[in-house]
Amino acid sequence: MAHILLKDLRKSYAGQEVIHGITMDIPNGEFVVIVGPSGCGKSTLLRMVAGLEGISAGTIEIDGRVVNDLEPRQRDIAMVFQNYALYPHMSVRENMAYGLKIAKMPKAEIDAAVTRAAKMLELEPYLDRKPRALSGGQRQRVAMGRALVRTPSAFLLDEPLSNLDAKLRVQMRMQIKDMHLNTGQTTLYVTHDQVEAMTLADRLIVMNKGIADQIATPHEVYETPATEFVAGFIGSPAMNIFTVTAEAGMAVLPGGHRLPLPGLAAHGKVRLGLRPEDLEIVDASTAAIPVVLRSIEWLGADAFGYGMIDGSDALVTLRLAGSTGAKRGDRVHVAPKEGRLHLFSAESGKRM
Amino acid sequence: MADTSQTPLTVRGPARTIAHLWMILGIIIVAFPVYYVFIASTHSVQTILRPPLPLLPGSEAIANYSDAFGGGIDRIGGVSLWRLLGNTTLIALGIALGKIAISMASAYAIVFFRFPFRMACFWLIFITLMLPVEVRIQPTYKVMVDLGLIDTYAGLILPLIASATATLLFRQFFMTIPDELLEAARVDGAGPWRFFKDILWPLSRTNVAAIFVIQFIYGWTQYLWPLLVTNSNEMNTIVIALKKMISFADADTPWNLVMVTSILAILPPVLVVVLMQRWFVKGLVETEK
């Protein structure tokens, strides 16, 4: 059980700052997912919490204790690595028991802990196998088991599912969620996969180039993205974002179409975001945006239409019903649903 | 894991025969002198000195071998063959194990620790590759004299222990160990000693075996250095003794005993290679970790 407090955490490599001051209070038992594109510093942040990377500035507190200069083993954390990092020469049992053995736990207690974790992860038949004799999913579970037996105060997971195939990933995702519900342990989870992020997290940290763009629940992140980056990163297919000119009560879209926006003040250039599912096909009218469809991806229940605003090269993605009759080359009219617009500053990218 | 039954080229027909003939020819060229030594060790001196030497074993084998172990000892400076073999084994083992200990330790430091002048240390070790024993033999000899290590096992072993080659081999191997393994061990609470003992050492065993074989043979066949630092016959290695046996006038040389001694000098390294072959090959080819 741990309460983790990050205060203005910074990391520099050779004078180059890569984590630009992250502050976050993670209460005991929360599942926090750090999500972002590759190179955004999400793994670095996790590794700083783990004690595998030094801290250039700021502090990390676990349960009120500053752990900046403590070795990983003194922080009472357990970590699951992307490629599992199982000890190849040890059996599954030895892999899971290793940390406990070092902690000089009595043998009987080690056995009990390993058996309990193995049972929970359905690893009992494999306890005496070497990692190389296991499938990817089994290895992943051993890595989880190694973290579980420790009953640490916090779990750190670094892209634990990215080496698995799609089906297994869904299965393991649910298992991780269950595990968290069972143990109630504070968990930090790094991923670049937004489905994992949205489904697992109590709260998300959306990272962009070493900055936490938004720290909020998945719902808030989706409904009210704090920056244009978050808006574009979370959601699939990605949000449509255009540069528009804000006039009083009206936005001028690419191609010169005027979209009535009551209450909008004249503001010059702004960025307008519209999620694909928030655009509805309507009858032609002056308030509607004409779109020429270039292709339709039919997925069964849904279909995605890709096109351009008529008279411009601004790309638009639409989410259509599976029963849509729209075809490539059609000219359709769409209108945003009421109150589903996102406006971002053209300069800072921040939500307006 | 390398599968030896699969070769990149499967050659059939005459090409295959030619390939085999070519390899057999190679083996004959390499093995014939050794075979000849063995043949000579089973004949009397008279037969050896009267050319041509027969191509088949003679009848003197038992006499020659028992003479070498028992009676002929004064031929090699009053030291028994057992003593010589013992000396050589001790020195070869000392050199091989010492090299492994030192080079593993230095490779461990260079690969897994961040300390000032780490790369400088690495390059210093690397540069010594260009300085064989012969180049630094005079200063090394002086040091041994000053330390009073002439005619001691320490004097025979210590100067040959430092090994840039083995350090490099271990460094290359250690660099293939994924960082995550080290990090997982750190999270599990393993300090540097435990990581080495519980994880690095078990994973290095095949490499250690390969390097042991190479260095054991290196130690066994040392000639120049043992020649310099030993004065007493008691401290001779078998290679030196062999040389001393034939430094008399040709007719006076007990060639049959020389050949017996040669066979005995070859045997232990061959045994080491044969017995450790499986590990040895594994250590050289294994890439999957």
Side-chain angles (χ1 to χ4, degrees):
Chain A
M1 298 289 152
H3 167 220
I4 302 173
L5 191 61
L6 315 179
K7 274 191 205 150
D8 195 31
L9 209 54
R10 286 167 194 275
K11 174 75 187 174
S12 312
Y13 288 110
Q16 191 83 25
E17 198 171 81
V18 293
I19 303 272
H20 306 287
I22 289 185
T23 301
M24 189 183 187
D25 189 349
I26 304 170
N28 192 4
E30 192 171 43
F31 198 123
V32 172
V33 174
I34 307 170
V35 64
S38 49
C40 69
K42 57 188 190 298
S43 279
T44 310
L45 179 62
L46 187 81
R47 294 162 52 82
M48 286 163 82
V49 177
L52 296 170
E53 295 276 357
I55 295 163
S56 305
T59 56
I60 299 176
E61 280 178 28
I62 298 180
D63 284 333
R65 179 173 67 136
V66 177
V67 298
N68 282 28
D69 299 319
L70 294 186
E71 272 286 296
R73 66 185 141 166
Q74 296 161 311
R75 298 188 184 196
D76 194 22
I77 45 108
M79 186 154 170
V80 177
F81 295 85
Q82 180 176 359
N83 59 9
Y84 319 139
L86 301 178
Y87 310 121
H89 57 294
M90 294 187 193
S91 68
V92 169
R93 186 192 303 279
E94 290 166 327
N95 261 288
M96 298 213 286
Y98 187 58
L100 303 180
K101 209 174 107 192
I102 291 179
K104 299 206 164 61
M105 190 189 263
K107 184 130 191 349
E109 283 177 45
I110 295 182
D111 285 345
V114 169
T115 312
R116 199 169 50 235
K119 190 171 235 157
M120 190 160 163
L121 294 162
E122 291 156 40
L123 281 171
E124 282 162 310
Y126 312 111
L127 277 176
D128 294 312
R129 287 206 199 165
K130 293 276 170 65
R132 82 173 85 89
L134 299 178
S135 70
Q138 289 163 345
R139 288 181 203 190
Q140 211 285 330
R141 296 214 298 272
V142 177
M144 299 287 302
R146 193 166 61 178
L148 263 178
V149 291
R150 304 261 314 274
T151 51
S153 51
F155 266 130
L156 309 177
L157 299 99
D158 189 1
E159 308 219 18
L161 305 183
S162 57
N163 286 3
L164 300 179
D165 61 50
K167 197 176 149 206
L168 216 49
R169 209 178 300 163
V170 174
Q171 225 175 338
M172 280 311 296
R173 202 171 70 206
M174 278 158 39
Q175 201 160 10
I176 289 176
K177 188 79 191 169
D178 284 348
M179 209 173 82
H180 178 250
L181 291 175
N182 285 336
T183 61
Q185 250 143 358
T186 314
T187 305
L188 269 175
Y189 185 108
V190 164
T191 182
H192 62 266
D193 181 313
Q194 49 167 304
V195 180
E196 278 173 34
M198 300 294 277
T199 51
L200 287 172
D202 293 329
R203 271 198 299 165
L204 286 172
I205 309 180
V206 186
M207 298 267 297
N208 177 25
K209 294 177 189 151
I211 296 171
D213 263 19
Q214 189 166 15
I215 302 178
T217 64
H219 194 262
E220 283 173 302
V221 167
Y222 191 79
E223 296 295 332
T224 50
T227 65
E228 187 187 327
F229 170 79
V230 176
F233 186 75
I234 298 288
S236 176
M239 185 188 277
N240 300 301
I241 300 177
F242 315 107
T243 301
V244 301
T245 311
E247 290 175 0
M250 180 164 298
V252 182
L253 294 177
H257 307 283
R258 285 162 188 278
L259 188 67
L261 281 178
L264 185 68
H267 204 282
K269 297 271 183 235
V270 291
R271 302 276 286 167
L272 170 69
L274 289 164
R275 293 215 181 266
E277 62 269 33
D278 292 336
L279 286 169
E280 284 177 315
I281 296 193
V282 295
D283 295 332
S285 75
T286 49
I289 310 165
V291 172
V292 179
L293 291 171
R294 290 205 313 178
S295 71
I296 307 280
E297 277 178 0
W298 188 77
L299 300 170
D302 286 327
F304 296 121
Y306 300 94
M308 288 190 251
I309 295 180
D310 199 8
S312 78
D313 55 3
L315 294 167
V316 185
T317 308
L318 308 174
R319 182 180 215 125
L320 309 168
S323 58
T324 181
K327 298 185 307 293
R328 181 187 152 82
D330 282 359
R331 187 168 186 273
V332 297
H333 286 82
V334 297
K337 288 182 189 163
E338 181 98 27
R340 306 294 294 172
L341 292 154
H342 308 272
L343 284 173
F344 303 100
S345 155
E347 292 87 39
S348 67
K350 292 229 161 53
R351 187 179 188 87
M352 290 164 58
Chain B
M1 201 64 54
D3 188 350
T4 43
S5 67
Q6 269 187 345
T7 50
L9 280 174
T10 313
V11 189
R12 307 225 163 269
R16 192 185 169 106
T17 317
I18 291 171
H20 269 108
L21 284 177
W22 192 243
M23 284 189 280
I24 290 165
L25 184 70
I27 291 169
I28 289 173
I29 291 173
V30 172
F32 186 70
V34 180
Y35 175 72
Y36 224 34
V37 168
F38 171 69
I39 294 301
S41 76
T42 62
H43 288 279
S44 64
V45 193
Q46 287 72 26
T47 325
I48 297 170
L49 288 179
R50 192 181 334 110
L53 187 70
L55 277 173
L56 292 172
S59 55
E60 303 290 316
I62 295 166
N64 283 347
Y65 281 81
S66 58
D67 195 19
F69 278 111
I73 49 168
D74 45 321
R75 299 279 188 187
I76 30 186
V79 182
S80 81
L81 207 49
W82 290 116
R83 167 98 202 189
L84 292 173
L85 284 172
N87 280 351
T88 318
T89 309
L90 196 73
I91 291 161
L93 277 178
I95 290 174
L97 298 178
K99 267 182 194 276
I100 287 169
I102 287 211
S103 49
M104 254 189 136
S106 35
Y108 187 46
I110 286 172
V111 175
F112 291 104
F113 292 83
R114 301 283 166 270
F115 54 90
F117 306 113
R118 191 171 65 97
M119 282 322 278
C121 288
F122 170 68
W123 282 106
L124 266 177
I125 294 173
F126 191 69
I127 283 169
T128 60
L129 264 183
M130 297 166 207
L131 300 174
V133 174
E134 290 75 10
V135 176
R136 54 186 164 87
I137 209 152
Q138 212 179 347
T140 313
Y141 184 74
K142 175 85 171 82
V143 171
M144 289 299 123
V145 171
D146 291 348
L147 291 175
L149 291 177
I150 300 298
D151 268 337
T152 62
Y153 289 119
L156 278 161
I157 294 168
L158 286 179
L160 297 175
I161 274 183
S163 172
T165 323
T167 308
L168 277 179
L169 286 173
F170 277 119
R171 173 180 177 264
Q172 293 314 111
F173 169 68
F174 288 169
M175 292 196 350
T176 66
I177 303 266
D179 287 344
E180 281 89 351
L181 222 50
L182 172 66
E183 289 170 352
R186 280 178 68 192
V187 172
D188 268 342
W193 272 114
R194 289 216 70 133
F195 176 67
F196 184 83
K197 182 169 83 73
D198 292 344
I199 296 169
L200 206 56
W201 173 256
L203 291 177
S204 311
R205 275 196 291 225
T206 51
N207 289 61
V208 170
I211 289 173
F212 175 82
V213 170
I214 295 170
Q215 301 301 353
F216 182 85
I217 293 168
Y218 168 85
W220 188 272
T221 55
Q222 277 305 307
Y223 178 69
L224 187 57
W225 183 250
L227 192 64
L228 276 173
V229 289
T230 57
N231 298 323
S232 128
N233 287 336
E234 288 277 308
M235 296 302 294
N236 274 347
T237 65
I238 196 150
V239 181
I240 306 289
L242 206 53
K243 176 69 181 66
K244 284 188 177 169
M245 282 170 84
I246 52 176
S247 57
F248 304 107
D250 196 36
D252 216 19
T253 305
W255 282 110
N256 54 340
L257 298 187
V258 170
M259 292 305 155
V260 170
T261 316
S262 298
I263 288 291
L264 293 170
I266 297 169
L267 220 49
V270 169
L271 277 179
V272 167
V273 172
V274 169
L275 293 178
M276 299 188 76
Q277 188 186 26
R278 221 167 53 96
W279 281 36
F280 175 70
V281 174
K282 226 172 150 189
L284 290 182
V285 301
E286 195 169 64
T287 48
E288 189 203 52
K289 284 287 167 267

